[in-house]
Amino acid sequence: MAGGRWLLWESGGRPVSMACHTAPLAGAARIAPVYTPPELRGRGYAGAVTAAVSRSVRARGTREVLLFTDLANPTSNALYRRLGYRPVEDQLVLEFGWG
């Protein structure tokens, strides 16, 4: 948090959500992780903290802000679209076990 890449969102003096971003590289930074405890979800905390971190990254002159999300999670996908993120590509990671 001291380095300015982590943001802890509070409500009523209590931490309710957090988000982080990577150091910019080649003009791009990645938002990750974003976390809200399950019992506090659905109250807008993740959206607020993600928007704040995104604005902070852009204010520092970073040209691109990236955010990876699970396509199977309609809640997070809808939230990120509302914040201005747009789908660019799908990625698939395959792991093969040998032996």
Side-chain angles (χ1 to χ4, degrees), residues 9-74:
W9 199 261
E10 295 181 344
S11 178
R14 175 180 149 201
V16 294
S17 191
M18 55 78 56
C20 177
H21 70 85
T22 62
L25 178 64
R30 178 179 170 216
I31 304 296
V34 176
Y35 180 76
T36 302
E39 68 275 10
L40 298 174
R41 293 177 185 168
R43 301 176 191 192
Y45 299 138
V49 75
T50 302
V53 169
S54 300
R55 281 191 304 270
S56 173
V57 170
R58 293 293 304 228
R60 295 177 186 189
T62 305
R63 290 187 319 268
E64 294 185 37
V65 183
L66 312 170
L67 196 150
F68 290 86
T69 185
D70 181 356
L71 291 176
N73 185 333

Side-chain angles (χ1 to χ4, degrees), residues 57-98:
V57 170
R58 293 293 304 228
R60 295 177 186 189
T62 305
R63 290 187 319 268
E64 294 185 37
V65 183
L66 312 170
L67 196 150
F68 290 86
T69 185
D70 181 356
L71 291 176
N73 185 333
T75 302
S76 64
N77 289 303
L79 165 66
Y80 298 141
R81 278 191 210 99
R82 283 194 308 272
L83 294 179
Y85 286 90
R86 62 181 175 78
V88 175
E89 69 180 21
D90 294 338
Q91 295 187 356
L92 176 66
V93 176
L94 299 174
E95 294 184 25
F96 297 94
W98 306 103

